[in-house]
Amino acid sequence: MAKTLALPKEQLVKQALTQMQNTLADNTWTDRQKLALTCRILFENGHDSGLAGQITARGPQPGTYYTQQLGLGFDEITAGNLLLVNEDLEVLEGHGMPNPANRFHSWVYRARPDVNCIIHTHPTHVAALSMLEVPLQISHMDLCPLYDDCAFLQGWPGVPVGNEEGELIAAALGDKRAILLSHHGQLSTGATIEEACVIAQLIERAAKLQLLAMAAGVIKPILPELGREAHDWISKPKRHAAAFNYYARQNLRQHADCLN
């Protein structure tokens, strides 16, 4: 005899969250390994754009973060060839140089102590949408972690290698989890590397669906209260970690070298 078919939704949600917390496994990779996995995951999911884009995570000391070497593609990043840099982009560990555009990551980290990972990429559908100078529209349940959580910078400030661009992007991001940058790309953040990776995956899918929907007709908005409900339901650390672990398993079949 079923015992839950008469229970209210609020109680079912509470039970499901408790079960997820107790059942879904955490991973044991180091931050370096998770960053390398993120690079490979994004490479396989449309974020590759040559040498464009940076993926960073806070380092062991305040004002430091890990990032990839300039000159290596996302599919070449390993845990061992990542750099540790300071806010002046001076290399503290590793060999090579960071992408000079990493400078704006320093500004975001300073403005957002809750952020521990930043992903900036130029994926195809995000880049195409950015050319239209229109904000991201979230109108599908799967994308609701971005509902009212994606900022928009309409004016392109130019190549983001100066401090001015860092201040501008950090201010435009505000307290949001992601931002669409006109004529440029996207920036996703997370309290964890896993969260930032999942958000970066979602924003590219959101841009693709938006372009497809716009080509077919007028996008209909979802009710704000339902958008917020779905945002909070999906945006749980355990769910983000489980999604990241799935993406990692997919990519380790052909990118196991990234853990070295």
Side-chain angles (χ1 to χ4, degrees), residues 95-250:
H95 303 283
M97 67 173 286
N99 190 323
N102 270 300
R103 180 168 299 277
F104 76 84
H105 292 231
S106 297
W107 288 95
V108 173
Y109 282 128
R110 283 191 162 212
R112 292 285 300 277
D114 60 310
V115 166
N116 290 305
C117 180
I118 298 170
I119 297 173
H120 169 60
T121 56
H122 306 170
T124 300
H125 299 95
V126 162
L129 185 63
S130 80
M131 296 165 64
L132 302 176
E133 291 190 356
V134 297
L136 196 68
Q137 292 178 257
I138 302 302
S139 189
H140 187 278
M141 181 181 69
D142 294 348
L143 310 175
C144 279
L146 290 168
Y147 187 83
D148 196 28
D149 216 351
C150 183
F152 177 57
L153 181 61
Q154 186 169 11
W156 179 48
V159 179
V161 296
N163 290 310
E164 299 87 351
E165 291 83 8
E167 291 181 284
L168 180 63
I169 291 171
L173 176 66
D175 63 355
K176 304 296 187 187
R177 199 176 310 194
I179 184 169
L180 177 67
L181 306 167
S182 284
H183 307 286
H184 191 174
Q186 68 84 28
L187 184 147
S188 298
T189 69
T192 63
I193 296 169
E194 292 94 327
E195 179 184 24
C197 179
V198 171
I199 295 300
Q201 290 275 67
L202 282 179
I203 195 171
E204 168 62 356
R205 178 166 169 78
K208 180 178 182 179
L209 290 177
Q210 182 169 335
L211 290 168
L212 287 170
M214 289 168 61
V218 177
I219 297 175
K220 307 298 184 182
I222 57 178
L223 292 174
E225 60 269 26
L226 297 183
R228 289 190 292 268
E229 178 191 57
H231 173 280
D232 296 344
W233 166 249
I234 303 172
S235 298
K236 295 291 187 289
K238 278 289 185 178
R239 284 185 67 110
H240 289 320
F244 179 86
N245 292 345
Y246 166 62
Y247 293 135
R249 291 194 301 272
Q250 278 187 320

Side-chain angles (χ1 to χ4, degrees), residues 44-55:
E44 292 291 346
N45 286 274
H47 287 255
D48 176 51
S49 184
L51 301 182
Q54 314 90 40
I55 300 176

